[in-house]
């Protein structure tokens, strides 16, 4: 581990410096504050490097993981009336569960299968992440905070009063107090409601109403009317420096230059800006309430979210691992990497950190700066811990608008422009009325739109289902074209040319050339329409049918049953191993077709016919 100490030291320090502004920004964006982003970068960075399977990987909070976390945090906060203290144990438990799921994915060896998630799903999701970050950061970038807009908050006071009154009634019901009999008790409790209680409840409604992409659009007119010129200038200045400094040099991270420069100017000139939340000083402490206040009912609605975080982190990390492999000419261990990421995310959640994954830009910076072993990632995590302990109070003076500006550049950068540019050139393989559309573009757009305006978690699930169905249809169509299962006109195979005409009389030979599966069952079920009226024997040649799925199995059962109902004898020729096993599982053989009617090859089938052929007039 120490064979490349100098290179790892420089790589780790550089990567840690690059990670600092993004960690703070992602923490703020998540809704848990800058310290949550910093804690995530420290613990994930250190432990994912220590236990992971990619030597040069730098891990920490990333845009996709933060976007999913942000939606979940907002949802749990809304349920808890905006009280972060009550919501935090549930939030961190979901993060912990995601980390444990990643460890589980690694243990059962699923790391190598992550690559099979369709690209259109990933593309649509990544573009949606960029859209979400861009739109939601417009409010802090112009200095507008809905929960601090008094007139906006006051518009929710009737709802706040109704919710508080309902809560009082629910408490009385639980305590066995009848409202009709003791209404005075209700009035007494209502009088104890303070203005602060009402304000807190109204702010919770305001926060929920203005969250996400749709919520941002709802309050955007108010934001435009209440633009804070100073905050907007700080955000724009940050964006300009991030993009402008990159044109000068990439030796120094432009995000760090923008953070230090704009924050230094704002603080040095004594400008009246809004700082980020206070970053706690001292070592992070574990949140043991995750275990003491555990409530399965509170966690259950977010199990799928935890799985999404686990899978998303796995995809993000393993894609970065591939980049690292290409740069270093090494090969990562995918399952070990998943376990390392899971351990890092689990420990980070215990200390209040947001989840993360392998970060491509930080990993590239590490490698280019000399990092070659896992020590570089551990050094990056330790550097951030030192910054937290030594510069926490200083970092707390960073303007919130600066982090909003940084996140705008992240949102622009994370979108999948390669996938967007490819839209006009994708093959239009689906007919929709008079139009022809691309199945891959449909999947990408569905995931992108649903992720942006509805729910990230459900959108990915729906995208995977649509992509899988379209893939199955496409494969079914291709296989059917290559198989003459669909043929209504049976042409003789070479070994059938010399069959005596008198033996052919009353016999119909059905050829299956390819797998019989869900994509070709409907054509096979037309077998009854193909058989001549004088046929009393049907030979199904299966020597070129390597595979029979459950759909094909039941289709064959139905066809053979119908033929037997018409007193037609069914013979099976050369049944291969997998189809033979399937036919025996549901007793088609010997239940519907006796063993003596199943032949090793077509020649033995012909020999049986010579001895047992039934005349059509029989």
């Amino acid at each position: 581990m120490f064979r490349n100490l100098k290179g790892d030291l420089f790589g780790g320090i550089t990567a840690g410096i690059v990670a600092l502004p993004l960690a703070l920004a992602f923490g703020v964006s998540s809704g848990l504050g800058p310290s949550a982003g910093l804690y995530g970068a420290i613990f994930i960075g250190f432990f994912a490097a220590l236990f992971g399977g990619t030597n040069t990987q730098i891990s920490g909070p990333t845009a996709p993981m933060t976007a999913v976390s942000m939606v979940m945090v907002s949802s749990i906060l809304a349920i808890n009336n905006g009280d972060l203290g009550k919501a935090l144990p549930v939030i961190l438990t979901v993060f912990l569960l995601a980390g444990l799921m990643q460890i589980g994915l690694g243990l059962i060896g699923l790391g190598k299968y992550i690559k099979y998630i369709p690209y259109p799903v990933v593309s649509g999701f990544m573009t949606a992440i960029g859209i979400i970050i861009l739109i939601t950061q417009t409010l802090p970038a112009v200095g507008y905070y809905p929960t601090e807009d008094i007139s906006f908050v006051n518009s929710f006071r009737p709802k706040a009063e109704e919710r508080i009154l309902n809560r009082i009634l629910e408490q009385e019901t639980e305590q066995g107090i009848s409202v009709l009999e003791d209404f005075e008790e209700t009035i007494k409790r209502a009088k104890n409601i303070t203005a602060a209680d009402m304000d807190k409840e109204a702010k919770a409604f305001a926060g929920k109403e203005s969250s996400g992409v749709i919520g941002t659009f709802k309050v955007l007119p108010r934001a435009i009317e209440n633009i804070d010129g100073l905050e907007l200038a700080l955000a724009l200045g940050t964006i300009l420096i991030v993009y402008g400094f990159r044109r000068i040099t990439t030796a120094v991270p432009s995000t760090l230059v923008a953070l230090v420069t704009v924050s230094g100017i704002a603080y040095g000139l004594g400008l009246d800006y809004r700082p980020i939340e206070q970053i706690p000083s001292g070592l992070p402490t574990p949140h043991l309430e995750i275990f003491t206040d555990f409530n399965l009912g509170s966690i259950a609605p977010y199990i799928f979210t935890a799985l999404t975080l686990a899978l998303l982190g796995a995809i993000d990390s393993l894609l970065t691992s591939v980049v690292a492999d290409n740069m270093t000419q090494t090969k990562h261990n995918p399952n070990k990497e998943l376990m390392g990421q899971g351990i890092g995310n689990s420990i980070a959640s215990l200390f209040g950190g947001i989840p993360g994954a392998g970060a491509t830009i930080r990993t590239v910076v590490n490698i280019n700066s000399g990092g070659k072993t896992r020590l570089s990632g551990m050094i990056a995590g330790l550097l951030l811990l030192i910054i937290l302990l030594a510069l926490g109070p200083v970092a707390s003076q960073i303007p919130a608008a600066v982090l909003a500006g940084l996140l705008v550049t992240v949102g622009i950068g994370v979108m999948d422009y390669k996938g967007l540019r490819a839209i006009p050139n994708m093959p239009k393989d689906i007919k929709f009325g008079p139009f022809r559309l691309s199945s891959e573009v449909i999947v990408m757009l569905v995931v992108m739109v649903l992720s942006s305006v509805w729910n990230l978690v459900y959108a990915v699930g729906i995208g995977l289902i649509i992509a899988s169905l379209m893939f199955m249809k496409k494969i079914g169509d291709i296989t059917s074209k290559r198989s003459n299962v669909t043929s209504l006109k049976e042409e003789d195979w070479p070994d059938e040319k010399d069959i005596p005409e008198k033996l052919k009389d009353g016999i119909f030979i059905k050829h299956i050339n390819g797998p019989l599966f869900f994509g070709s069952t409907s054509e096979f079920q037309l077998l009854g329409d193909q058989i001549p009226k004088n046929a009393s024997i049907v030979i199904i040649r299966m020597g070129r049918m390597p595979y029979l799925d459950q759909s094909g199995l039941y289709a064959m059962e139905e066809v053979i049953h119908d033929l037997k109902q018409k007193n037609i004898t069914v013979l099976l020729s050369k049944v291969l191993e997998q189809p033979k096993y399937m036919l025996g599982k549901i007793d088609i053989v010997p239940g519907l077709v006796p063993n003596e009617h199943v032949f090793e090859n077509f020649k033995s089938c012909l020999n049986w016919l010579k001895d047992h052929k039934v005349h059509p007039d029989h």
Side-chain angles (χ1 to χ4, degrees):
M1 185 183 291
F2 297 99
R3 64 183 182 274
N4 185 51
L5 183 59
K6 183 179 178 182
D8 289 335
L9 187 63
F10 280 114
I13 290 174
T14 308
I17 291 172
V18 171
L20 176 63
L22 295 177
L24 296 171
F26 287 139
V28 172
S29 178
S30 72
L32 297 180
S35 58
L38 204 49
Y39 294 161
I42 292 168
F43 290 106
I44 301 170
F46 184 87
F47 288 103
L50 178 61
F51 296 108
T54 312
N55 286 340
T56 53
Q57 180 121 287
I58 303 295
S59 302
T62 61
M65 296 292 278
T66 303
V68 176
S69 301
M70 175 180 67
V71 173
M72 186 202 71
V73 169
S74 175
S75 173
I76 296 176
L77 277 173
I79 293 173
N80 290 274
N81 306 312
D83 189 334
L84 184 58
K86 291 181 180 178
L88 193 59
V90 178
I91 293 168
L92 297 183
T93 303
V94 176
F95 291 164
L96 174 61
L97 185 60
L100 295 175
M101 285 179 175
Q102 279 187 321
I103 296 173
L105 292 174
L107 287 173
I108 61 178
L110 286 183
K112 59 185 177 183
Y113 297 108
I114 297 294
K115 62 184 178 182
Y116 294 113
I117 292 179
Y119 178 79
V121 175
V122 178
S123 175
F125 182 80
M126 295 302 293
T127 301
I129 295 297
I131 292 171
I132 291 169
I133 292 175
L134 272 174
I135 293 174
T136 56
Q137 290 306 308
T138 55
L139 300 185
V142 300
Y144 179 75
Y145 296 86
T147 57
E148 296 176 10
D149 183 342
I150 296 174
S151 62
F152 182 63
V153 171
N154 285 341
S155 67
F156 294 97
R157 286 192 176 276
K159 286 186 177 181
E161 290 176 4
E162 182 181 351
R163 175 179 280 182
I164 291 175
L165 181 58
N166 286 335
R167 198 174 297 136
I168 290 173
L169 296 175
E170 288 171 4
Q171 290 173 353
E172 290 180 349
T173 302
E174 290 174 1
Q175 295 168 5
I177 300 172
S178 174
V179 178
L180 295 177
E181 294 176 3
D182 196 359
F183 196 67
E184 290 183 3
E185 177 64 24
T186 306
I187 296 173
K188 180 181 176 182
R189 295 190 181 196
K191 286 182 178 179
N192 291 328
I193 300 171
T194 65
D197 293 333
M198 190 69 68
D199 191 50
K200 182 179 179 181
E201 199 72 45
K203 283 184 176 181
F205 273 111
K208 183 179 180 181
E209 184 70 12
S210 58
S211 65
V213 172
I214 300 296
T216 300
F217 278 124
K218 287 180 180 178
V219 299
L220 197 56
R222 301 182 71 92
I224 294 172
E225 293 174 3
N226 295 276
I227 290 178
D228 186 313
L230 174 60
E231 300 289 321
L232 178 59
L234 293 174
L236 290 176
T238 302
I239 295 169
L240 289 173
I241 292 175
V242 167
Y243 289 118
F245 195 79
R246 287 178 187 172
R247 295 179 175 274
I248 300 172
T249 179
T250 56
V252 182
S254 61
T255 53
L256 183 66
V257 173
L259 177 73
V260 173
T261 302
V262 181
S263 299
I265 292 172
Y267 184 77
L269 296 178
L271 301 178
D272 185 22
Y273 63 85
R274 178 194 182 98
I276 61 175
E277 297 175 27
Q278 189 71 28
I279 298 176
S281 57
L283 290 168
T285 55
H287 289 261
L288 299 179
E289 64 269 24
I290 292 177
F291 306 105
T292 57
D293 298 341
F294 179 78
N295 185 335
L296 183 59
S298 301
I299 305 301
Y302 302 100
I303 289 177
F304 190 53
T305 304
L307 179 60
T308 300
L309 282 169
L311 291 173
L312 181 59
I315 297 167
D316 216 354
S317 300
L318 295 181
L319 287 175
T320 302
S321 296
V322 172
V323 173
D325 285 350
N326 292 334
M327 293 183 68
T328 59
Q329 301 303 308
T330 57
K331 188 170 179 61
H332 71 281
N333 183 327
N335 293 318
K336 188 177 179 183
E337 182 60 37
L338 287 188
M339 288 189 281
Q341 292 292 332
I343 292 169
N345 277 310
S346 299
I347 295 174
S349 68
L350 295 176
F351 288 88
I354 60 174
T360 305
I361 294 175
R362 281 161 264 177
T363 299
V364 170
V365 166
N366 175 44
I367 295 170
N368 288 338
S369 301
K372 289 184 179 179
T373 75
R374 62 185 69 249
L375 185 62
S376 57
M378 296 162 67
I379 289 172
L382 290 173
L383 174 68
L384 291 172
L385 178 61
I386 293 169
I387 292 173
L388 170 69
L389 297 176
L391 301 175
V394 176
S396 298
Q397 299 303 314
I398 295 172
V402 169
L403 295 187
L406 289 177
L407 284 170
V408 167
T409 64
V410 170
I412 294 172
V414 80
M415 288 194 281
D416 182 32
Y417 297 102
K418 180 181 178 182
L420 291 172
R421 284 194 296 267
I423 289 177
N425 304 317
M426 296 303 292
K428 296 175 174 59
D429 51 356
I430 289 183
K431 190 173 182 181
F432 189 75
F435 306 102
R436 294 195 68 84
L437 305 171
S438 166
S439 60
E440 297 196 354
V441 172
I442 290 172
V443 171
M444 188 191 77
L445 292 178
V446 165
V447 174
M448 183 182 74
V449 173
L450 293 182
S451 296
S452 301
V453 302
W454 182 41
N455 185 294
L456 284 162
V457 179
Y458 296 154
V460 171
I462 291 170
L464 286 172
I465 292 170
I466 295 174
S468 300
L469 291 174
M470 288 184 171
F471 172 76
M472 287 189 290
K473 183 184 183 305
K474 193 178 295 184
I475 293 300
D477 292 344
I478 292 172
T479 308
S480 294
K481 286 178 182 178
R482 294 181 178 179
S483 168
N484 66 4
V485 170
T486 62
S487 175
L488 289 176
K489 182 180 179 182
E490 297 292 334
E491 296 182 2
D492 291 345
W493 284 359
D495 57 355
E496 298 167 6
K497 300 290 186 182
D498 300 325
I499 301 176
E501 285 298 323
K502 63 177 181 178
L503 195 60
K504 284 186 179 181
D505 187 32
I507 294 175
F508 177 79
I509 301 175
K510 174 63 183 174
H511 308 94
I512 303 180
N513 189 10
L516 181 59
F517 69 117
F518 66 88
S520 57
T521 54
S522 58
E523 287 81 8
F524 180 77
Q525 287 168 324
L526 297 175
L527 179 58
D529 298 332
Q530 299 174 257
I531 300 173
K533 291 182 179 180
N534 68 329
S536 60
I537 295 176
V538 171
I539 302 173
I540 302 178
R541 299 199 62 179
M542 302 171 66
R544 298 181 187 178
M545 188 185 81
Y547 178 75
L548 176 69
D549 75 352
Q550 195 168 12
S551 299
L553 181 66
Y554 291 133
M556 181 166 282
E557 181 185 38
E558 180 184 332
V559 166
I560 294 175
H561 183 270
D562 289 345
L563 293 176
K564 288 183 70 69
Q565 291 288 98
K566 298 175 183 177
N567 294 318
I568 295 176
T569 302
V570 177
L571 307 179
L572 304 180
S573 169
K574 197 174 182 179
V575 185
L576 300 180
E577 185 177 351
Q578 192 272 346
K580 179 182 275 188
Y581 172 80
M582 295 292 285
L583 293 173
K585 289 299 287 183
I586 66 168
D587 202 33
I588 292 179
V589 177
L592 287 176
V593 181
N595 286 318
E596 56 268 26
H597 289 175
V598 180
F599 301 94
E600 290 294 325
N601 50 56
F602 187 62
K603 184 177 180 180
S604 59
C605 182
L606 287 180
N607 291 334
W608 183 92
L609 283 171
K610 290 175 183 177
D611 298 332
H612 300 84
K613 183 176 181 300
V614 181
H615 193 274
D617 298 327
H618 188 284

